[in-house]
């Protein structure tokens, strides 16, 4: 339902209703009086009333009735219970709206929440006005906003409280304790310790929360991180290659420049705890190579905020810089 949540709309409706009231009552009243006075004066002057004179007066009277009926009809049309503007268009409700607009606008809430609070102000002010309630609107508003703001902060803290993560169930040989990712260290000749040898072939059916084969906890951190980036207007995407098989790593190693790909068996990509991100410009194009944190603001944001989400870019200062390669911040071999 349309809620008439705007000061200018409320004011407009108020003055519109006022002018309808004037058209319905004051104008007809003044003209009627004027008509009567004219008739009386005419009679005083001529001692009797002419037929044509009366006919003319009837015409004027007809116009008065038409103005009244038009205003009356318009007024009944806008006075429906669905038209909140018309219900709320009175001085008391409008001044309550004005008084509390600043309280709501100064809060840290989203625009949608602010709108909801102003809806509440209107309902409370209307109840005060029509049902004789005496709610202290500003006080109630401040209490509710404070409550919502604290819930919001708590939620954010929980979101980023990755140090609470503990799950001893191994996925691809990786488990998590107090936010630290434990993974099997590479032992030469011990094939079971090679990364990429345990990638799931159907992740969603094998206990993973994503179709790519990323470790569940790493995936959660990445998702929250990317969501927050998007909220701030930066487009970032994660690679759909969540778990790189040993064979793929062999191919990369053999075809890429030395130092570019980790030796087969070593890469954290094969354990589902590394990802390669794609960074985008405002116009939707991919940030080109040779970029830096300033020429590619989405990457700048990512490099600056990763740690808040339990993530890190470990190859920023490597001899072969990989500004897109991201991993969990706390890792340990077992
Ligand atoms: Zn990588």
């Amino acid at each position: 339902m349309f809620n008439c949540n705007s000061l200018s709309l409320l004011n407009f409706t108020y003055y519109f209703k006022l002018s309808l009231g004037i058209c319905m009552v004051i104008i007809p009243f003044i003209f009627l009086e004027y008509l009567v006075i004219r008739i009386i004066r005419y009679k005083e002057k001529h001692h009797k009333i002419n037929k044509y004179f009366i006919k003319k007066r009837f015409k004027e009277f007809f116009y008065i009735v038409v103005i009244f009926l038009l205003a009356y009809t318009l007024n009944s049309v806008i006075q429906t219970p669905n038209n909140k503007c018309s219900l709320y268009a009175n001085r008391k409700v409008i001044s309550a709206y004005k008084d509390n607009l600043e309280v709501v606008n100064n809060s840290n809430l989203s625009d949608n929440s602010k709108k909801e609070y102003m809806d509440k102000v209107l309902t409370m002010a209307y109840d005060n006005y029509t049902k004789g309630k005496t709610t202290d609107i500003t006080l109630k508003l401040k209490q509710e906003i404070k409550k919502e703001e604290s819930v919001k902060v708590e939620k954010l803290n929980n979101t980023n409280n990755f140090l609470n993560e503990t799950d001893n169930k191994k996925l691809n040989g990786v488990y998590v304790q107090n936010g630290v990712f434990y993974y099997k260290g590479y032992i030469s000749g011990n094939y079971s310790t090679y990364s990429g040898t345990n990638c799931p072939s159907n992740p969603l059916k094998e206990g993973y929360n994503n179709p790519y084969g990323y470790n569940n906890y790493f995936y959660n951190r990445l998702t929250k991180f990317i969501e927050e980036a998007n909220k701030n207007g930066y487009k970032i995407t994660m690679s759909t290659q969540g778990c790189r098989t040993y064979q793929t790593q062999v191919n990369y190693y053999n075809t890429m420049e030395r130092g570019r790909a980790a030796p087969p068996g070593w890469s954290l990509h094969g354990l589902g705890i590394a990802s390669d991100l794609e960074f985008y410009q405002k116009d939707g194009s991919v940030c080109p190579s040779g970029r830096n944190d300033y020429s590619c603001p989405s990457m700048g944001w990512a490099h600056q905020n990763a740690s808040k989400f339990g993530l890190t870019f470990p190859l920023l200062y490597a001899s072969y810089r990989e500004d897109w390669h991201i991993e969990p911040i706390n890792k340990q071999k077992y």
Side-chain angles (χ1 to χ4, degrees):
M1 192 194 289
F2 175 63
N3 230 350
C4 201
N5 194 335
S6 137
L7 193 58
S8 44
L9 253 179
L10 283 168
N11 272 326
F12 172 80
T13 318
Y14 176 76
Y15 288 111
F16 186 67
K17 274 177 76 177
L18 202 66
S19 39
L20 283 184
I22 291 172
C23 287
M24 272 193 310
V25 184
I26 300 177
I27 294 178
F29 180 76
I30 291 171
F31 271 94
L32 270 178
E33 210 172 57
Y34 171 71
L35 261 186
V36 172
I37 291 170
R38 276 189 79 178
I39 293 169
I40 292 171
R41 284 207 183 136
Y42 187 90
K43 208 182 164 189
E44 273 172 2
K45 204 171 166 188
H46 303 277
H47 300 290
K48 67 171 188 180
I49 293 171
N50 180 304
K51 210 167 89 186
Y52 295 104
F53 176 79
I54 284 296
K55 237 184 181 174
K56 261 188 174 171
R57 303 290 81 77
F58 261 116
K59 222 175 181 182
E60 282 164 9
F61 181 72
F62 174 73
Y63 290 143
I64 294 168
V65 173
V66 168
I67 289 176
F68 171 82
L69 283 179
L70 266 179
Y72 181 80
T73 318
L74 253 178
N75 194 51
S76 350
V77 166
I78 66 166
Q79 294 270 40
T80 63
N82 274 343
N83 186 352
K84 295 266 166 136
C85 278
S86 156
L87 286 185
Y88 296 159
N90 69 71
R91 289 313 330 159
K92 277 191 175 155
V93 176
I94 294 176
S95 82
Y97 189 92
K98 255 192 214 159
D99 292 347
N100 292 292
L101 198 57
E102 209 173 317
V103 177
V104 171
N105 277 339
N106 284 341
S107 68
N108 288 323
L109 302 171
S110 68
D111 284 353
N112 260 347
S113 273
K114 284 178 183 171
K115 236 180 155 114
E116 273 171 32
Y117 276 106
M118 286 320 292
D119 284 344
K120 279 185 192 169
V121 169
L122 286 169
T123 320
M124 285 192 281
Y126 184 69
D127 283 352
N128 276 356
Y129 173 65
T130 52
K131 296 179 189 160
K133 288 189 179 174
T134 51
T135 314
D136 185 337
I137 298 174
T138 310
L139 184 74
K140 205 165 175 196
L141 202 62
K142 280 184 175 166
Q143 285 169 345
E144 281 192 29
I145 289 177
K146 209 173 165 189
K147 211 166 138 195
E148 186 171 335
E149 280 177 337
S150 65
V151 168
K152 215 177 148 193
V153 169
E154 211 170 278
K155 241 183 169 175
L156 191 74
N157 285 343
N158 274 340
T159 313
N160 295 338
N161 206 351
F162 47 85
L163 292 176
N164 283 342
E165 291 168 353
T166 293
D167 189 347
N168 290 323
K169 190 174 165 255
K170 283 180 194 166
L171 269 182
N172 198 347
V174 179
Y175 64 94
V176 185
Q177 259 178 5
N178 299 320
V180 181
F181 286 69
Y182 290 87
Y183 63 98
K184 247 182 199 174
Y186 173 90
I187 300 168
S188 179
N190 183 351
Y191 195 69
S192 75
T193 65
Y194 290 13
S195 85
T197 54
N198 283 308
C199 282
S201 49
N202 192 340
L204 290 177
K205 282 191 178 161
E206 295 171 45
Y208 286 76
N209 63 1
N210 64 91
Y212 317 115
Y214 283 115
N215 177 280
N216 289 352
Y217 292 88
F218 179 55
Y219 180 75
N220 283 345
R221 290 187 192 185
L222 271 184
T223 308
K224 278 173 197 158
F225 175 59
I226 289 174
E227 269 174 13
E228 189 62 27
N230 289 345
K231 263 190 226 159
N232 286 281
Y234 302 114
K235 188 184 170 192
I236 300 173
T237 55
M238 67 173 95
S239 163
T240 53
Q241 184 196 59
C243 187
R244 189 183 293 165
T245 62
Y246 181 79
Q247 192 50 51
T248 309
Q249 191 68 26
V250 169
N251 294 343
Y252 284 177
Y253 191 69
N254 290 340
T255 54
M256 283 174 176
E257 194 185 329
R258 244 335 80 111
R260 170 80 172 73
W266 288 86
S267 173
L268 292 187
H269 279 292
L271 300 174
I273 50 174
S275 179
D276 295 327
L277 303 181
E278 195 84 88
F279 302 110
Y280 295 81
Q281 300 282 17
K282 282 261 181 260
D283 66 3
S285 61
V286 175
C287 290
S289 55
R291 61 205 176 183
N292 60 39
D293 286 359
Y294 302 99
S295 65
C296 176
S298 60
M299 184 172 83
W301 186 94
H303 289 171
Q304 223 172 49
N305 292 282
S307 63
K308 290 181 202 160
F309 296 82
L311 300 165
T312 186
F313 290 89
L315 301 176
L316 284 185
Y317 304 105
S319 54
Y320 195 98
R321 175 180 158 100
E322 286 191 23
D323 52 27
W324 59 84
H325 179 95
I326 192 165
E327 294 175 7
I329 203 164
N330 298 318
K331 303 166 292 271
Q332 204 129 45
K333 285 178 199 165
Y334 67 83

